[in-house]
């Protein structure tokens, strides 16, 4: 079994870095605020077949939460990245159950690598679907939703969590919601996630599964005016490439930081328990 290599001081420092990132998420950019204005206009000019795709995205999100659906990722490609790094350090090949004990620095490296890889993929995807303007927008929206869900699951795996578990898929959806929320929404989600692993809050966490439709609505509405530019043929290539890349980067970063914080807090709790046991032993 791998041991936790970080000291309590190292974990506290890492936690402060994540908390500093959280404070930087204070508000949406001006462009993001502007993007929330023309939803009525967007709804009026959006063809029925595009609206149908948005409705399908809602149904697919329901399937993801219940069973993982078509968006559930394979864990072995992620674990191969870990094994390669661990072998370079002379650490024996480990199993799935031991991934949660991998040093945080390696988890961070794998997460960053996955973030960059998915962002590059989204850039190509956005440019390709942006070529046809509004006609390929119907293809782009579910693809972007799928990419976002997959990169968040990869972040879960990178920090030792299993997205095949239903409650973990809820955490994935909460990360997706966080990435597209305003300051009030972000604060509320951070409060919810801070209690995610609290045994006393399990019933509350599972009850949140009932609110998944709000997440999808928030996420699709966040396209706003940005997707209006992508409706223009040819010019949509540039807008599609940039917007898809920035969207996936934001989602991946949110997942990376929120999962990192969760893992750090779990290790700090384990460290505190270990200290309590040692103190009890010494007193005896």
């Amino acid at each position: 079994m791998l041991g936790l290599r970080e000291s309590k001081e190292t974990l506290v420092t890492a936690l402060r870095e994540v908390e500093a990132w959280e404070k930087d998420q204070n508000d949406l950019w001006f462009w993001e605020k502007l993007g929330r204005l023309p939803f009525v206009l967007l709804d009026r000019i959006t063809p029925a077949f595009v609206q149908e795709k948005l409705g399908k995205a809602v149904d697919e999100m329901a399937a993801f939460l219940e069973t993982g659906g078509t968006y559930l990722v394979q864990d072995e490609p992620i674990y191969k990245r870990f094994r390669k790094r661990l072998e370079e350090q002379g650490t024996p090949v480990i199993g799935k159950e031991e991934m949660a004990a991998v040093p945080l620095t390696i988890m961070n490296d794998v997460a960053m690598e996955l973030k960059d890889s998915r962002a590059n993929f989204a850039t190509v995807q956005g440019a390709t679907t942006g070529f046809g303007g509004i006609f390929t927008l119907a293809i782009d929206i579910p693809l972007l939703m799928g990419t976002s869900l997959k990169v968040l699951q990869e972040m879960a795996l990178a920090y030792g969590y299993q997205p095949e578990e239903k409650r973990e898929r809820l955490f994935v959806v909460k990360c997706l919601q966080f990435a597209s929320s305003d300051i009030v929404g972000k604060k509320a989600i951070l409060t919810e996630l801070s209690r995610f692993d609290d045994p006393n809050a399990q019933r509350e966490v599972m009850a949140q599964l009932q609110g998944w439709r709000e997440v999808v609505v928030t996420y699709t509405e966040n396209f706003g005016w940005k997707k209006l530019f992508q409706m223009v043929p040819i010019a949509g290539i540039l807008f599609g490439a940039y917007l898809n890349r920035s969207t996936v980067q934001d989602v991946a970063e949110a997942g990376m930081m929120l999962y990192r914080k969760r893992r750090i807090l779990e290790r700090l709790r384990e460290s505190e328990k270990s200290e309590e046991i040692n103190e009890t032993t010494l007193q005896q």
Side-chain angles (χ1 to χ4, degrees):
M1 292 286 291
L2 286 171
L4 299 182
R5 302 183 181 182
E6 299 91 3
S7 65
K8 185 176 180 179
E9 292 72 20
T10 300
L11 291 172
V12 170
T13 299
L15 179 60
R16 286 173 179 166
E17 291 174 357
V18 176
E19 290 173 342
W21 172 83
E22 290 177 348
K23 290 180 180 178
D24 287 340
Q25 309 302 301
N26 282 337
D27 207 352
L28 297 173
W29 284 9
F30 169 76
W31 298 113
E32 295 286 348
K33 292 179 180 178
L34 184 62
R36 294 178 179 274
L37 298 179
F39 292 147
V40 176
L41 173 63
L42 184 65
D43 185 63
R44 288 177 179 173
I45 68 174
T46 302
F49 70 90
V50 175
Q51 293 185 9
E52 182 181 342
K53 286 292 183 180
L54 289 173
K56 186 178 179 181
V58 174
D59 295 335
E60 289 178 350
M61 179 68 81
F64 170 74
L65 276 171
E66 289 300 323
T67 65
T70 58
Y71 293 134
L72 196 62
V73 299
Q74 298 295 316
D75 54 17
E76 189 56 31
I78 310 301
Y79 293 156
K80 282 183 178 179
R81 296 173 185 262
F82 280 99
R83 294 187 181 113
K84 178 182 177 181
R85 287 170 169 77
L86 292 170
E87 286 173 356
E88 290 173 353
Q89 295 184 0
T91 303
V93 175
I94 62 176
K96 177 179 180 179
E97 297 76 14
E98 298 170 299
M99 286 296 173
V102 169
L104 194 63
T105 52
I106 295 181
M107 289 181 167
N108 294 342
D109 287 344
V110 171
M112 185 61 71
E113 187 177 275
L114 291 168
K115 174 188 172 185
D116 293 341
S117 175
R118 284 297 180 185
N120 291 336
F121 173 79
T123 303
V124 176
Q125 172 189 301
T128 303
T129 54
F131 180 80
I134 196 168
F135 300 103
T136 49
L137 182 60
I139 300 173
D140 182 51
I141 291 173
L143 282 176
L144 185 56
M145 174 78 78
T147 301
S148 298
L149 286 174
K150 286 177 179 178
V151 73
L152 286 172
Q153 290 177 80
E154 289 173 341
M155 292 300 160
L157 290 166
Y159 286 95
Y161 298 98
Q162 307 302 321
E164 66 261 27
E165 297 176 9
K166 189 172 183 179
R167 69 183 303 272
E168 293 302 332
R169 292 198 295 276
L170 173 60
F171 195 92
V172 164
V173 172
K174 284 295 180 181
C175 290
L176 187 65
Q177 186 181 18
F178 179 88
S180 56
S181 295
D182 58 17
I183 182 172
V184 176
K186 288 181 187 295
K187 286 182 177 179
I189 294 167
L190 287 175
T191 300
E192 292 172 3
L193 295 185
S194 67
R195 302 184 63 208
F196 196 83
D197 294 306
D198 182 352
N200 298 322
Q202 290 304 305
R203 183 177 299 178
E204 175 186 330
V205 168
M206 296 310 293
Q208 292 170 20
L209 282 170
Q210 305 304 317
W212 60 267
R213 287 183 181 274
E214 174 192 344
V215 179
V216 182
V217 171
T218 301
Y219 185 73
T220 52
E221 284 185 348
N222 192 45
F223 293 140
W225 70 276
K226 298 184 294 185
K227 288 298 178 183
L228 288 175
F229 289 102
Q230 196 172 326
M231 292 181 184
V232 182
I234 309 301
I237 295 175
L238 296 177
F239 289 112
Y242 171 75
L243 296 174
N244 281 24
R245 182 181 183 86
S246 61
T247 297
V248 171
Q249 281 182 326
D250 290 346
V251 168
E253 182 176 82
M256 181 171 65
M257 301 303 283
L258 294 173
Y259 274 111
R260 183 184 301 175
K261 180 181 181 180
R262 189 176 168 193
R263 179 56 66 196
I264 291 169
L265 290 174
E266 285 192 11
R267 292 190 177 180
L268 282 171
R269 285 194 292 269
E270 291 172 4
S271 176
E272 290 172 359
K273 286 182 181 179
S274 179
E275 289 177 359
E276 290 175 1
I277 292 172
N278 290 336
E279 288 178 4
T280 303
T281 303
L282 289 173
Q283 289 174 359
Q284 293 176 346

